[in-house]
Amino acid sequence: MIERFRFLILFLFVFSYVSASDDYGWLEVYNPVWKSQSRNSSESMPCGGGDIGMNVWVENDEIFLYLSRSGVFDENCIFPKLGRVRLSLSPNPFKDGKFRQELKLKEGYVEIESVQPGNKRTVISIWADVYSPVVEVSVSSDTETVLTATYETWRDKVL
C-alpha cells in the first residue's frame, strides 16, 4: 500500500512538473494553413478571445470578418452574427502574390501573408482583445499600404 502511495506521489510530481513547464509549443503542428483564398464564408477560420468571436477569410483579394459577441440574441432568441467587416488594401498585396493564411492556435490570432514578386511581403494579423470587446488588425508591409475598413450590416431595421 505504501509503495502505491509513493508511486502516486511521484507520478503527480512528475505530471505537475511537465504540465507547468509546457509552453504549448506542440500546438504549432496543428495550426491550420491555407495556401489559397476562400470561395466564401463557409471556408472561414474561427478566431476570438474574451467574449468576441470572428470568422476570418480572404475572398477575391479582400479580407472579411463576421463578428459575434457572447450574450447577443435577436428577437427569435438566436445567436446572430453582428455584421461583416470588409478590409481592402491598396495597393492590393494579393494580386500576383503567394498567399498563405494560418490560424496561430498558441497565440490566438489569424495571420494572412502575401509575398509578391521581388520578395515584397505583406503580413496582416487579426485577433480579439481578451480584456475589452475589440478586434485588432495589424498590417506590416514592405510597401506603403492603405487599409480601408467597411462595416456591412444586414440588420438595418428592428422587427
Side-chain angles (χ1 to χ4, degrees):
M1 182 70 165
I2 292 176
E3 287 301 315
R4 285 187 179 176
F5 183 71
R6 285 184 185 164
F7 175 75
L8 179 62
I9 295 296
L10 178 63
F11 175 77
L12 290 174
F13 176 74
V14 170
F15 180 75
S16 64
Y17 174 77
V18 169
S19 296
S21 65
D22 192 0
D23 67 354
Y24 300 100
W26 55 270
L27 272 175
E28 292 177 11
V29 297
Y30 297 104
N31 288 353
V33 176
W34 295 336
K35 304 285 181 148
S36 62
Q37 296 184 25
S38 301
R39 289 177 295 199
N40 54 43
S41 64
S42 70
E43 298 177 349
S44 64
M45 279 186 176
C47 183
D51 63 350
I52 296 292
M54 294 175 280
N55 294 81
V56 179
W57 75 99
V58 179
E59 177 184 344
N60 297 324
D61 297 339
E62 291 184 304
I63 302 167
F64 292 94
L65 312 171
Y66 276 156
L67 303 174
S68 65
R69 186 166 183 197
S70 62
V72 174
F73 296 95
D74 68 5
E75 63 278 356
N76 297 313
C77 207
I78 295 174
F79 186 59
K81 299 294 185 191
L82 299 173
R84 182 169 82 171
V85 175
R86 179 188 302 251
L87 303 174
S88 302
L89 297 157
S90 180
N92 185 352
F94 303 116
K95 189 171 179 80
D96 302 324
K98 183 178 174 187
F99 178 85
R100 186 173 196 278
Q101 181 174 339
E102 180 175 1
L103 176 58
K104 304 278 191 170
L105 295 170
K106 179 182 171 189
E107 296 86 1
Y109 71 96
V110 173
E111 180 180 84
I112 302 165
E113 177 183 42
S114 178
V115 179
Q116 291 185 310
N119 287 329
K120 293 180 179 177
R121 186 172 180 246
T122 301
V123 178
I124 301 102
S125 300
I126 302 169
W127 69 96
D129 186 335
V130 297
Y131 300 109
S132 60
V134 175
V135 172
E136 306 220 17
V137 177
S138 170
V139 178
S140 173
S141 182
D142 292 336
T143 60
E144 188 173 321
T145 304
V146 175
L147 172 69
T148 303
T150 308
Y151 178 74
E152 301 170 349
T153 184
W154 48 86
R155 299 185 59 81
D156 57 354
K157 59 185 171 188
V158 178
L159 299 178

